[in-house]
């Protein structure tokens, strides 16, 4: 299994890093989309069924997904997400909520991601992250390579 990190340079099929001077401006529609995604992620994770219901929700979206989007569309959506996420939360030690938040936001944009769950031992830890077409969107390759994948949604 080979992962590519979003933000690396390389082939045109990899997602490139959006430099600060080229960072797209985020308008009220972007803010509204992120606010809706954040509220939905929190509600689904905390509500009855919690993680099980959230996983089923993401699975259903992927099953009904339309055609793949371009790397440029994913880059643009990720740049807006990274710009506005600090308004709602930090990702520090909140991988479950952060990943669900990102999956909700991107699915509203027609981008259907893979939500990956992994574990490691010594010390035991669980972690999750989001990928699109084998490209890691919200984490670092060095971080996730230490985990044994137990589920991909």
């Amino acid at each position: 299994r080979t992962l590519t990190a979003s933000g690396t340079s390389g082939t045109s099929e990899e997602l490139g890093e959006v430099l600060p001077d080229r960072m797209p401006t985020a308008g009220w529609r972007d803010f509204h989309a992120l606010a809706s995604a954040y509220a939905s992620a929190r509600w689904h994770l905390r509500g009855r069924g919690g993680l099980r219901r959230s996983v089923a929700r993401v699975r259903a979206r992927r099953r009904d997904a339309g055609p793949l989007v371009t790397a440029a569309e994913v880059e643009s959506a990720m740049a807006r997400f990274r710009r506005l996420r600090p308004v709602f939360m930090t990702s520090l030690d909140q991988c479950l909520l952060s990943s669900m938040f990102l999956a909700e936001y991107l699915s509203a944009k027609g981008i259907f991601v893979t939500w990956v769950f992994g574990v490691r031992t010594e010390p035991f830890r669980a972690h999750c992250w989001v990928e699109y077409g084998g490209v890691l969107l919200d984490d670092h390759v060095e971080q996730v390579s230490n985990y044994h994948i137990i589920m991909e949604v």
Side-chain angles (χ1 to χ4, degrees), residues 44-45 48-57 59:
H44 282 95
L45 287 171
R48 223 168 108 203
L51 182 59
R52 185 176 339 121
R53 191 165 112 196
S54 298
V55 165
R57 181 177 169 81
R59 246 188 209 133

Side-chain angles (χ1 to χ4, degrees), residues 3 51 85 91-100 114-121 123-131 136-152:
L3 282 178
L51 182 59
R85 178 179 49 193
S91 60
L92 185 64
D93 294 327
Q94 296 187 59
C95 63
L96 185 62
L97 177 58
S98 181
S99 295
M100 182 67 181
T114 302
W115 195 10
V116 184
F117 294 80
V119 295
R120 72 175 196 193
T121 57
F124 175 81
R125 290 196 56 144
H127 188 53
C128 61
W129 59 91
V130 176
E131 299 175 8
L136 187 57
L137 297 180
D138 65 339
D139 215 322
H140 302 284
V141 173
E142 299 82 18
Q143 166 77 8
V144 303
S145 64
N146 294 322
Y147 289 87
H148 174 71
I149 295 172
I150 58 171
M151 181 170 61
E152 293 184 59

